[in-house]
Every structure is written in C-alpha cells, then in structure tokens.
Amino acid sequence: MSADIEAEGRDKACCASCGIAEVDDIKLKDCSACHLARYCSIKRQRDHRPQHKKECKKRAAELRDEILFKQPESNHLGDCPICCLPLSNDPKNSAMMGCCCKVICEGCSNANLIREVKEKLDHNCPFCRHPAPESEEEYERNLMKRVEANDPTAMRQLGGIRRNEGDYDVAVEYWTKAAELGNADAHYDLSLLFEKGEGVVKDKKRKVHHLEQAAIAGHAFARHNLGCEEFRNGKYERSMKHFIIAANLGYDKSLESLKKSYRRGLVSKKDLAAALRGYQAAEDATKSPQRETAFAAGQEAEAANRSN
C-alpha cells in the first residue's frame, strides 16, 4: 500500500498495510522494532515490509541510541550495601563476598577487620556474617550455592575462575547465563572474549553488542571501549558522547581521552568543563573517612612489602 495509508495507520489507528481500522473484533499490533506502524495480522506486516523496512530500521536505530546514550545514575556496581555510598570503578577498592555475593567497599571491609581484631573475633563476612572461607575449595563451594540460587554475580565470578583455569567453554556458559540475567560484568567479559577470540570465534558484532549492554547498565570500562571503537571508526561525535558518559561515572581514562580530543577540536570547552565537574562529583561521592583509612593502610602495607 502507499505511504499515505501508513501515515493514516499511525494517525487513525489503522493497519499500515491494508488501512483497516481497529474495531472490537480486529486488534492491531505495533511493529516491535520501531513502534511506528500497526498491523492487523502477521501476513499484512510481511506484505508491507518492503515499503516499511527503511523507515523501520532508521527509527529502531534512533530508539536504540536513546537508550544507549542515556546517562546512568551510577556505575553498574551501585552502592556498598553497608555504608550505602557509591562503589568505585576501581575493582581494587572493593571485594565480592563468595558467601552472599555482595560487593563490599574497602572501607567497610577494613572497619570490620579492625573490629574483629579488637574484639578477638573470628573473621566473618562484613555483610551476612558467614564465616570466611578457609580455602579456595570452600570459597568455590560457597559460590556454587549462590549459582544454584540463580545469582548472576556468582555465575560471573565462577566463570572467571574457570577461564583462568583455561576452561573457556564453561566460562562462556556461566558468563552467558549471567549476562542473560543482566550482569554487566559478564557482558563486558564476553565482549573481551569475542574481541580476542579466546575460546570463541572472533565476532566484532557480538563484541559491540555485549559492550553496549554493559554500557547501558553503567559499566564505565565498557562505555570507554565503545568510545574507542567509535573513534577508530571515525564517528567522533558518538565517541565523545561515550567518553562524556564514562567520565560522569568517574572513569579517569575517559576524562583523559576528552582532554586529548579537546586539543584536537573534537569536543567543546563547555562539554569538557561539564565532564570535569561530573567526574569530580562521581569521585567525591565515593569518598569517606573509612575508605581513606583503608586506602592509607593499603599503602603502608605495600610500602612494607617493597622494603622486605
């Protein structure tokens, strides 16, 4: 049918293919990709596909970009469940507990350790108080219990262990399941596998898909990698958008990329200034006296190890 009928379908709730109106016994369904056109049957949708395909793809890409370039409220890790402050992007500043799979900041972990030493208590999980594992085998058993409870964080962690052992098939299986359950780290891990071809066939399309899913969930590393990917493809405007979002999540490498891009005239002074403010706000939000104490203790321990 003509483009006029499709326009009528949008405006008057008519089938974009045949023009029939929606009445009691005729229900129209949206095109699932673009939501622009409506159809009275699958057959009519298929018949109309040649006329609708170009506009459908364009609108679907626009809808995808609306989701992709939306600034997340926080990074994918969220807040520490004990102090309720945002967790840092740096994995060194937090730890995942194998018993409950909660990610605890170093400040709360250190405070719990100090309390246990002072009161001469056994070392337990700072969150659920489960006894700390005494071996790697016990740690994995705890993880497996969480995997059996369908915990995506445990699946991602166990997948990492299997990958380090060289068992890529099992690692991919765990990460794929965790990704399906919405784990951003699993999406990111899969993107690296598809980029390098480790245990899987190299696949750029699937790599980008997993990077995008992780980025949408607030994964700053994935967002930065997307920015680098777009930069290599010459899509500088999209690249800068990714770097700005990652900088607002507190990722320093994206901020450095923006500074370099500013010197090349690829990003405006206004956007760079806003990214600097966003980065600093994200960094400040992760700070607390407990975390500063833990960081200082870690620095002292590293200095002592170097001197020995």
Side-chain angles (χ1 to χ4, degrees):
M1 301 296 287
S2 67
D4 292 336
I5 291 182
E6 182 171 353
E8 183 181 350
R10 298 177 201 155
D11 297 337
K12 298 183 179 180
C14 296
C15 175
S17 179
C18 66
I20 191 171
E22 184 174 41
V23 292
D24 291 341
D25 58 336
I26 299 176
K27 301 297 182 183
L28 302 182
K29 292 186 178 180
D30 287 349
C31 171
S32 59
C34 68
H35 303 288
L36 287 177
R38 304 184 76 198
Y39 299 97
C40 60
S41 67
I42 297 297
K43 182 181 182 303
R44 288 297 186 183
Q45 184 173 5
R46 289 172 181 166
D47 291 343
H48 191 247
R49 181 63 178 166
Q51 297 97 304
H52 180 59
K53 183 177 180 181
K54 184 177 179 180
E55 186 177 14
C56 182
K57 282 189 174 182
K58 180 182 176 182
R59 181 55 182 158
E62 290 172 352
L63 291 173
R64 177 66 175 175
D65 279 354
E66 287 178 12
I67 297 171
L68 180 61
F69 289 110
K70 183 179 179 181
Q71 178 71 53
E73 293 182 3
S74 65
N75 68 30
H76 68 293
L77 294 172
D79 299 340
C80 171
I82 297 177
C83 65
C84 298
L85 292 176
L87 290 163
S88 169
N89 288 306
D90 190 344
K92 295 179 181 178
N93 295 336
S94 58
M96 196 277 290
M97 303 293 110
C99 45
C100 56
C101 289
K102 298 295 183 182
V103 180
I104 311 298
C105 74
E106 62 177 353
C108 291
S109 294
N110 187 63
N112 182 63
L113 183 60
I114 292 173
R115 180 186 65 84
E116 289 172 340
V117 170
K118 284 183 177 179
E119 298 179 14
K120 298 180 180 180
L121 301 173
D122 293 333
H123 185 40
N124 294 332
C125 169
F127 183 77
C128 69
R129 302 305 183 192
H130 188 281
E134 297 181 357
S135 64
E136 288 294 326
E137 291 75 14
E138 185 179 354
Y139 176 77
E140 287 192 29
R141 285 197 298 272
N142 291 339
L143 275 181
M144 186 54 69
K145 290 179 182 178
R146 296 303 307 161
V147 168
E148 291 169 357
N150 232 25
D151 189 320
T153 304
M155 293 175 189
R156 186 261 173 172
Q157 190 74 5
L158 200 55
I161 293 173
R162 296 295 173 258
R163 176 191 178 277
N164 292 337
E165 294 172 349
D167 193 343
Y168 286 96
D169 289 341
V170 176
V172 170
E173 182 181 345
Y174 277 128
W175 285 347
T176 300
K177 179 63 175 176
E180 290 172 353
L181 292 172
N183 187 276
D185 280 317
H187 277 296
Y188 181 69
D189 292 335
L190 287 169
S191 77
L192 297 180
L193 290 188
F194 284 114
E195 179 182 27
K196 300 174 183 177
E198 293 182 351
V200 294
V201 178
K202 281 187 178 182
D203 191 325
K204 184 176 180 180
K205 186 175 181 180
R206 295 182 73 178
K207 177 195 82 169
V208 171
H209 166 74
H210 286 295
L211 281 177
E212 288 183 348
Q213 291 301 112
I216 289 169
H219 201 295
F221 299 174
R223 180 70 68 175
H224 179 80
N225 285 3
L226 278 177
C228 295
E229 185 75 22
E230 297 287 19
F231 194 93
R232 285 191 292 268
N233 293 335
K235 298 179 179 179
Y236 301 124
E237 184 178 353
R238 292 176 67 87
S239 176
M240 295 306 109
K241 287 181 180 180
H242 285 304
F243 288 149
I244 288 171
I245 292 173
N248 286 333
L249 291 174
Y251 193 46
D252 55 346
K253 288 187 177 180
S254 288
L255 186 63
E256 290 303 313
S257 294
L258 285 171
K259 291 177 181 178
K260 293 176 182 177
S261 298
Y262 172 71
R263 291 193 285 270
R264 295 180 58 179
L266 298 176
V267 64
S268 69
K269 183 177 181 180
K270 179 181 177 181
D271 287 342
L272 177 61
L276 282 165
R277 291 193 296 271
Y279 170 81
Q280 194 58 55
E283 278 292 286
D284 291 344
T286 65
K287 294 179 180 179
S288 73
Q290 284 183 329
R291 293 182 183 184
E292 294 296 328
T293 300
F295 177 77
Q299 292 292 95
E300 290 179 5
E302 287 183 10
N305 289 334
R306 285 195 297 268
S307 62
N308 290 337

